[in-house]
Amino acid sequence: MNIILLGPPGAGKGTQAQRLVGERGMVQLSTGDMLRAAVKAGTPIGLKAKAVMEAGELVSDEIVSGIIGEALDGLQAETGVIFDGYPRTAAQAESLDALLADRGRALDHVIELEVDEDALVERITGRFTCATCGEGYHDRFKQPATAGECDKCHGHEFKRRPDDNEETVRTRMAEYRAKTAPILPIYDARDIVSRVDGMADIAEVTDAIEAILDR
Ligand code: ADP
Ligand code: ADP
Ligand code: ZN
């Protein structure tokens, strides 16, 4: 099973992908996470991507499709994949078709998380993650059960993304509207898109997604 989670910044893609990984043994391929790792490691890709990401603009299609291809090559054929934050342009959607076909994989579902734009800024400015294991949290909507301690790994260090500020969020939302939302009709034409209310509680959103995957 290979699925795409689609939605604007802050829609809950990463949160839901982590939950599906935990419950279904699928693998999450997040281009945002992979690019942040490249920036941190100072690789050639990271050096190219850093300023673009800080501005909230999109990294080139060649770079992101390249890292997705490499990541797919590292997986066993039977491992299901959750694409989180990829594809984000029509060119990336085309590349993904080719990357999957070359590896004998097919796309089973595109799940669109529908959210109010007004909620996104609050979601993003309140977002933080565990510095050790990457578990996602929120100042208001998902605090660790014990303050200052990660529920999953019991780490005590947390971090916030440099691009999670209101100004950059506006640019990222504009990029989503202009370049990413227009790829939905490609998948609608194949009848593989399901829409989920992303404003529901985190667990309810997971239930709705699971129901689609079990259909
Ligand atoms: P995305 O990967 O789509 O950018 P995230 O999964 O990182 O979004 O979610 C953004 C922030 O909103 C995180 O801090 C997360 O804890 C929180 N969040 C995610 N889903 C929900 C939800 N259904 N209700 C409230 N807060 C949520
Ligand atoms: P969010 O969780 O807010 O949706 P991501 O973590 O997916 O954000 O992406 C962070 C940034 O990384 C984007 O603003 C963009 O600069 C870059 N990026 C991530 N995925 C892609 C992609 N598929 N195509 C181009 N740029 C990307
Ligand atoms: Zn942790």
Short mmCIF file of all heavy atoms in Angstrom, two decimals, residues 8-9 56-58 88-91 117 169-185:
data_model
loop_
_atom_site.label_atom_id
_atom_site.label_comp_id
_atom_site.label_asym_id
_atom_site.label_seq_id
_atom_site.Cartn_x
_atom_site.Cartn_y
_atom_site.Cartn_z
N PRO A 8 -2.28 21.56 3.25
CA PRO A 8 -1.41 22.72 3.45
C PRO A 8 -0.52 22.56 4.68
O PRO A 8 -0.73 21.64 5.49
CB PRO A 8 -2.40 23.88 3.61
CG PRO A 8 -3.69 23.24 4.02
CD PRO A 8 -3.70 21.88 3.40
N PRO A 9 0.47 23.43 4.83
CA PRO A 9 1.34 23.37 6.01
C PRO A 9 0.51 23.42 7.29
O PRO A 9 -0.39 24.26 7.41
CB PRO A 9 2.23 24.61 5.88
CG PRO A 9 1.65 25.45 4.80
CD PRO A 9 0.85 24.53 3.93
N GLY A 56 10.34 29.80 2.89
CA GLY A 56 9.03 29.18 2.72
C GLY A 56 8.70 28.86 1.27
O GLY A 56 7.56 28.57 0.93
N GLU A 57 9.72 28.93 0.41
CA GLU A 57 9.50 28.61 -0.99
C GLU A 57 9.81 27.13 -1.24
O GLU A 57 10.25 26.44 -0.33
CB GLU A 57 10.39 29.51 -1.87
CG GLU A 57 9.89 30.95 -1.83
CD GLU A 57 10.93 31.97 -2.25
OE1 GLU A 57 11.99 31.56 -2.76
OE2 GLU A 57 10.66 33.16 -2.05
N LEU A 58 9.57 26.68 -2.48
CA LEU A 58 9.76 25.25 -2.76
C LEU A 58 11.16 24.96 -3.28
O LEU A 58 11.67 25.66 -4.15
CB LEU A 58 8.72 24.75 -3.77
CG LEU A 58 7.27 24.74 -3.31
CD1 LEU A 58 6.38 24.09 -4.39
CD2 LEU A 58 7.09 24.01 -1.99
N ARG A 88 4.52 17.99 -4.40
CA ARG A 88 4.01 19.33 -4.14
C ARG A 88 3.82 20.14 -5.41
O ARG A 88 3.37 21.28 -5.33
CB ARG A 88 5.00 20.07 -3.26
CG ARG A 88 4.67 20.07 -1.77
CD ARG A 88 5.84 20.74 -1.07
NE ARG A 88 5.54 21.40 0.17
CZ ARG A 88 5.72 20.86 1.38
NH1 ARG A 88 6.08 19.61 1.50
NH2 ARG A 88 5.52 21.58 2.45
N THR A 89 4.17 19.57 -6.57
CA THR A 89 3.96 20.26 -7.85
C THR A 89 3.54 19.20 -8.87
O THR A 89 3.72 17.99 -8.64
CB THR A 89 5.27 20.90 -8.39
OG1 THR A 89 6.21 19.85 -8.66
CG2 THR A 89 5.87 21.90 -7.39
N ALA A 90 3.01 19.67 -10.01
CA ALA A 90 2.61 18.74 -11.06
C ALA A 90 3.83 17.95 -11.56
O ALA A 90 3.73 16.75 -11.83
CB ALA A 90 1.95 19.50 -12.22
N ALA A 91 4.98 18.62 -11.65
CA ALA A 91 6.18 17.92 -12.12
C ALA A 91 6.57 16.80 -11.14
O ALA A 91 6.98 15.71 -11.55
CB ALA A 91 7.33 18.90 -12.29
N GLU A 117 -7.98 27.62 6.81
CA GLU A 117 -6.71 28.35 6.75
C GLU A 117 -6.41 29.11 8.03
O GLU A 117 -5.27 29.23 8.44
CB GLU A 117 -6.71 29.33 5.57
CG GLU A 117 -6.40 28.64 4.27
CD GLU A 117 -5.61 29.52 3.31
OE1 GLU A 117 -5.28 30.67 3.66
OE2 GLU A 117 -5.34 29.04 2.20
N VAL A 169 4.86 31.22 7.10
CA VAL A 169 3.67 30.39 6.92
C VAL A 169 2.80 30.95 5.80
O VAL A 169 2.25 30.20 4.99
CB VAL A 169 2.86 30.31 8.22
CG1 VAL A 169 1.52 29.65 7.97
CG2 VAL A 169 3.62 29.53 9.26
N ARG A 170 2.69 32.26 5.73
CA ARG A 170 1.87 32.87 4.67
C ARG A 170 2.44 32.51 3.29
O ARG A 170 1.69 32.19 2.37
CB ARG A 170 1.84 34.40 4.82
CG ARG A 170 1.28 34.87 6.15
CD ARG A 170 -0.24 34.88 6.16
NE ARG A 170 -0.72 35.19 7.52
CZ ARG A 170 -1.91 34.87 7.99
NH1 ARG A 170 -2.77 34.22 7.22
NH2 ARG A 170 -2.26 35.19 9.20
N THR A 171 3.75 32.58 3.15
CA THR A 171 4.38 32.21 1.87
C THR A 171 4.12 30.74 1.58
O THR A 171 3.78 30.36 0.46
CB THR A 171 5.91 32.45 1.93
OG1 THR A 171 6.14 33.77 2.36
CG2 THR A 171 6.56 32.21 0.58
N ARG A 172 4.27 29.89 2.60
CA ARG A 172 4.07 28.45 2.38
C ARG A 172 2.63 28.14 1.98
O ARG A 172 2.38 27.28 1.14
CB ARG A 172 4.48 27.67 3.64
CG ARG A 172 6.01 27.62 3.80
CD ARG A 172 6.46 27.46 5.24
NE ARG A 172 6.01 26.24 5.84
CZ ARG A 172 6.02 26.01 7.16
NH1 ARG A 172 6.48 26.94 7.99
NH2 ARG A 172 5.58 24.88 7.64
N MET A 173 1.68 28.87 2.60
CA MET A 173 0.28 28.65 2.22
C MET A 173 0.03 29.10 0.79
O MET A 173 -0.69 28.44 0.03
CB MET A 173 -0.65 29.40 3.19
CG MET A 173 -0.89 28.57 4.46
SD MET A 173 -1.46 29.46 5.93
CE MET A 173 -2.76 30.43 5.35
N ALA A 174 0.66 30.21 0.39
CA ALA A 174 0.50 30.70 -0.99
C ALA A 174 1.10 29.70 -1.97
O ALA A 174 0.53 29.43 -3.04
CB ALA A 174 1.16 32.07 -1.14
N GLU A 175 2.25 29.12 -1.62
CA GLU A 175 2.87 28.11 -2.47
C GLU A 175 1.94 26.89 -2.61
O GLU A 175 1.80 26.32 -3.69
CB GLU A 175 4.22 27.64 -1.88
CG GLU A 175 5.33 28.68 -1.96
CD GLU A 175 5.97 28.73 -3.34
OE1 GLU A 175 5.29 29.19 -4.28
OE2 GLU A 175 7.13 28.32 -3.47
N TYR A 176 1.32 26.50 -1.50
CA TYR A 176 0.41 25.36 -1.53
C TYR A 176 -0.75 25.63 -2.50
O TYR A 176 -1.08 24.80 -3.35
CB TYR A 176 -0.14 25.04 -0.14
CG TYR A 176 -1.07 23.85 -0.16
CD1 TYR A 176 -0.55 22.55 -0.15
CD2 TYR A 176 -2.45 24.01 -0.25
CE1 TYR A 176 -1.39 21.45 -0.22
CE2 TYR A 176 -3.30 22.91 -0.32
CZ TYR A 176 -2.77 21.64 -0.30
OH TYR A 176 -3.59 20.55 -0.39
N ARG A 177 -1.34 26.82 -2.33
CA ARG A 177 -2.49 27.16 -3.18
C ARG A 177 -2.11 27.20 -4.66
O ARG A 177 -2.83 26.70 -5.51
CB ARG A 177 -3.05 28.53 -2.77
CG ARG A 177 -4.38 28.43 -2.07
CD ARG A 177 -4.91 29.81 -1.70
NE ARG A 177 -4.52 30.16 -0.35
CZ ARG A 177 -3.80 31.22 -0.02
NH1 ARG A 177 -3.34 32.06 -0.94
NH2 ARG A 177 -3.51 31.46 1.23
N ALA A 178 -0.95 27.81 -4.94
CA ALA A 178 -0.56 28.02 -6.34
C ALA A 178 -0.04 26.75 -7.01
O ALA A 178 -0.31 26.51 -8.18
CB ALA A 178 0.51 29.12 -6.41
N LYS A 179 0.72 25.94 -6.27
CA LYS A 179 1.42 24.83 -6.93
C LYS A 179 0.98 23.44 -6.52
O LYS A 179 1.06 22.50 -7.31
CB LYS A 179 2.93 24.97 -6.68
CG LYS A 179 3.49 26.24 -7.28
CD LYS A 179 4.92 26.48 -6.89
CE LYS A 179 5.40 27.84 -7.40
NZ LYS A 179 6.66 28.24 -6.75
N THR A 180 0.52 23.30 -5.28
CA THR A 180 0.21 21.94 -4.81
C THR A 180 -1.28 21.60 -4.99
O THR A 180 -1.60 20.53 -5.53
CB THR A 180 0.62 21.76 -3.33
OG1 THR A 180 1.98 22.18 -3.19
CG2 THR A 180 0.51 20.31 -2.90
N ALA A 181 -2.18 22.49 -4.58
CA ALA A 181 -3.60 22.20 -4.73
C ALA A 181 -3.95 21.82 -6.18
O ALA A 181 -4.76 20.92 -6.41
CB ALA A 181 -4.45 23.38 -4.23
N PRO A 182 -3.32 22.46 -7.18
CA PRO A 182 -3.66 22.11 -8.57
C PRO A 182 -3.32 20.68 -8.99
O PRO A 182 -3.73 20.25 -10.07
CB PRO A 182 -2.85 23.12 -9.40
CG PRO A 182 -2.62 24.27 -8.49
CD PRO A 182 -2.48 23.68 -7.11
N ILE A 183 -2.56 19.93 -8.17
CA ILE A 183 -2.28 18.54 -8.59
C ILE A 183 -3.44 17.59 -8.22
O ILE A 183 -3.51 16.47 -8.71
CB ILE A 183 -0.94 17.97 -8.05
CG1 ILE A 183 -0.96 17.74 -6.55
CG2 ILE A 183 0.22 18.87 -8.46
CD1 ILE A 183 0.37 17.19 -5.99
N LEU A 184 -4.35 18.05 -7.36
CA LEU A 184 -5.45 17.16 -6.96
C LEU A 184 -6.27 16.63 -8.14
O LEU A 184 -6.62 15.43 -8.15
CB LEU A 184 -6.36 17.86 -5.94
CG LEU A 184 -5.89 17.62 -4.50
CD1 LEU A 184 -6.46 18.68 -3.56
CD2 LEU A 184 -6.31 16.22 -4.04
N PRO A 185 -6.59 17.48 -9.13
CA PRO A 185 -7.38 16.96 -10.26
C PRO A 185 -6.72 15.78 -10.97
O PRO A 185 -7.42 14.90 -11.50
CB PRO A 185 -7.49 18.17 -11.20
CG PRO A 185 -7.35 19.36 -10.29
CD PRO A 185 -6.40 18.94 -9.20
#
